[in-house]
Amino acid sequence: MKMVVFSDLHANKQSLHDIKPALKDADLSIFCGDILGYGQDLRACIDLIFQHVDLAVLGNHDRMSINKENLNNQHPVVRDSIEYTRKKLSNEQVLLLSSLKSEIYFEDMYITHSLGDDYLRSKKDLIRLINHASPETRYIFFGHTHEKVLFEHNGKLVINPGSITKGRNGFKRGYVQIEDDEIEFTDLEEIL
């Protein structure tokens, strides 16, 4: 089975075009949250996730865009993008996005965007994520940090595919492909 795992699309049409070929070749596609935020290509990105991705979770930008939580503590760029997105989303899109869960268990996999809105970066953070997942879980996929992670601990593989839109802290944007337990990070050229 060939899996494609990606995260943090952030309403960016170029990123959407970059991931489409990989999705066509995948037996299972997984999205680790944040369809929305920053970009303005809302409809195309929502449609891609709901029409072409097998498993998708709600990210923090998605959650803030569909509810009325207070944005005063958010960075101004985040606040502005969420306010823009709230104005542009249709009622139908809000309902669709509301159907996403914050975590999914599927076979031997656990998928989430993060634990709360925490940035999971340290070994201690990743072990906390492992301990949060069920004991039967082999693969743990998450997003949020825009940083690629491959961490193995006690037979569990923790993978953050990075961001399909913008890498951080020296990481290029990209995604992960897994086939027969072979894990390959695919880097993409910067666009932002």
Side-chain angles (χ1 to χ4, degrees):
M1 178 170 71
K2 184 174 184 177
M3 292 190 290
V4 171
V5 184
F6 68 112
S7 189
D8 295 274
L9 182 55
H10 288 299
N12 183 284
K13 191 178 275 187
Q14 179 61 51
S15 297
L16 179 146
H17 291 301
D18 291 339
I19 195 64
K20 275 185 177 178
L23 294 176
K24 286 181 184 174
D25 292 338
D27 299 309
L28 180 67
S29 53
I30 297 171
F31 179 68
C32 299
D34 276 355
I35 302 168
L36 306 173
Y38 305 121
Q40 298 182 359
D41 302 311
L42 310 178
R43 177 177 298 284
C45 291
I46 291 169
D47 289 350
L48 173 93
I49 297 301
F50 282 93
Q51 294 171 12
H52 300 287
V53 174
D54 299 307
L55 302 170
V57 293
L58 189 74
N60 62 308
H61 284 263
D62 308 325
R63 185 195 72 237
M64 289 186 290
S65 295
I66 61 173
N67 69 33
K68 301 299 179 197
E69 70 185 76
N70 188 305
L71 300 174
N72 289 340
N73 292 331
Q74 297 297 325
H75 187 283
V77 173
V78 172
R79 185 173 54 245
D80 291 349
S81 78
I82 297 301
E83 288 173 351
Y84 168 84
T85 302
R86 285 176 177 176
K87 290 176 190 169
K88 296 295 182 180
L89 287 174
S90 70
N91 290 337
E92 179 184 326
Q93 290 169 325
V94 170
L95 283 173
L96 265 178
L97 292 161
S98 297
S99 72
L100 294 175
K101 296 178 168 114
S102 61
E103 59 184 9
I104 295 173
Y105 284 96
F106 178 77
E107 295 179 354
D108 63 349
M109 297 171 239
Y110 172 67
I111 305 136
T112 191
H113 188 62
S114 188
L115 295 177
D117 288 346
D118 293 349
Y119 286 95
L120 306 174
R121 291 188 167 113
S122 70
K123 181 179 178 180
K124 182 179 176 183
D125 293 335
L126 300 177
I127 290 172
R128 182 166 59 104
L129 182 58
I130 289 169
N131 291 336
H132 177 81
S134 74
E136 303 82 32
T137 304
R138 166 127 171 82
Y139 288 100
I140 298 170
F141 301 112
F142 75 105
H144 192 49
T145 65
H146 294 218
E147 298 172 12
K148 296 173 184 165
V149 169
L150 176 58
F151 176 73
E152 187 168 5
H153 182 75
N154 291 340
K156 315 265 187 209
L157 285 169
V158 179
I159 299 171
N160 184 329
S163 170
I164 192 72
T165 299
K166 180 170 178 49
R168 288 187 184 141
N169 296 328
F171 291 96
K172 287 187 172 236
R173 70 187 189 97
Y175 58 96
V176 166
Q177 295 182 82
I178 303 171
E179 189 167 11
D180 300 325
D181 287 331
E182 292 289 323
I183 299 165
E184 179 184 340
F185 284 88
T186 300
D187 288 337
L188 298 168
E189 293 298 317
E190 294 302 317
I191 54 172
L192 299 175

